[in-house]
Amino acid sequence: KTTFGTALATELGFQFVDTDLKISSQEKLSIPEIFAQKGENHFRLLEKNLLQETFRYRNAVIATGGGLPCFFDNIQKIKENGFSIFLETPRNVLLKRLIEQAGQRPIFGTNDPEKLAVELDKKLQERQKYYAEADWVLVEKDQNVKKVIQILEVMEL
């Protein structure tokens, strides 16, 4: 999402904000460190507060962590204040990334590939209803920035 969001913002001439990077910078801790030292609830409150701050931005592309839309009323707030795009990535690609980044994703409590697969499936199932509320779903093969901009222009967004 960071790569796509940065490219989209650049093409549009917009500011780019990655909520995970901003939170990590503000807290002077990595996301796994925030989870370990302060807990998930603290992190989710940081996300919620930062999301509220982003609504002041104009002409910005905001990349959120995968869990942000799933807590509080964040997905509704996003939809009220902007246009949401869910970047849908195939399960096998997500699993490969999780295995490669073992230990860097705090919501996944294991480094075992088989257990990661089970946890990933559970997390995807839990989050799907929130992701389905996005204004637009892009599957990975459609994530061409110029194509997206053309469609956004047609939609007059």
Side-chain angles (χ1 to χ4, degrees):
K1 61 191 181 285
T2 301
T3 301
F4 180 81
T6 301
L8 182 60
T10 299
E11 283 293 320
L12 292 169
F14 285 8
Q15 175 182 3
F16 175 73
V17 178
D18 182 307
T19 59
D20 282 349
L21 293 177
K22 195 156 181 90
I23 288 170
S24 185
S25 174
Q26 288 173 346
E27 293 290 302
K28 297 180 179 33
L29 295 168
S30 69
I31 302 302
E33 289 170 334
I34 294 169
F35 269 71
Q37 293 177 24
K38 300 180 179 184
E40 183 176 6
N41 289 340
H42 177 77
F43 177 74
R44 298 302 176 194
L45 285 172
L46 292 172
E47 281 185 317
K48 178 183 178 182
N49 293 336
L50 179 57
L51 179 65
Q52 290 295 323
E53 287 179 33
T54 67
F55 298 145
R56 295 191 323 244
Y57 300 146
R58 294 294 166 246
N59 299 327
V61 173
I62 313 295
T64 71
L68 187 144
C70 309
F71 291 86
F72 308 107
D73 58 352
N74 291 344
I75 190 62
Q76 285 75 30
K77 295 293 185 189
I78 291 169
K79 291 172 67 68
E80 290 169 7
N81 289 279
F83 183 80
S84 59
I85 301 173
F86 167 51
L87 301 177
E88 186 174 55
T89 303
R91 178 196 177 274
N92 63 318
V93 173
L94 292 173
L95 183 57
K96 181 178 181 230
R97 289 177 187 167
L98 283 173
I99 292 168
E100 290 170 353
Q101 300 169 355
Q104 297 176 33
R105 300 290 182 137
I107 62 168
F108 294 95
T110 182
N111 294 337
D112 178 88
E114 288 181 23
K115 290 180 181 175
L116 275 173
V118 171
E119 287 187 27
L120 174 62
D121 290 340
K122 181 180 175 199
K123 199 58 69 181
L124 288 173
Q125 185 176 12
E126 289 171 0
R127 293 179 173 184
Q128 185 56 42
K129 66 183 175 187
Y130 300 100
Y131 296 162
E133 291 189 46
D135 295 309
W136 191 9
V137 176
L138 284 177
V139 292
E140 190 166 87
K141 65 180 174 47
D142 293 333
Q143 294 178 20
N144 176 300
V145 171
K146 292 194 186 304
K147 178 180 172 184
V148 169
I149 290 172
Q150 289 171 345
I151 293 169
L152 291 172
E153 287 171 350
V154 168
M155 297 170 73
E156 297 181 2
L157 298 172

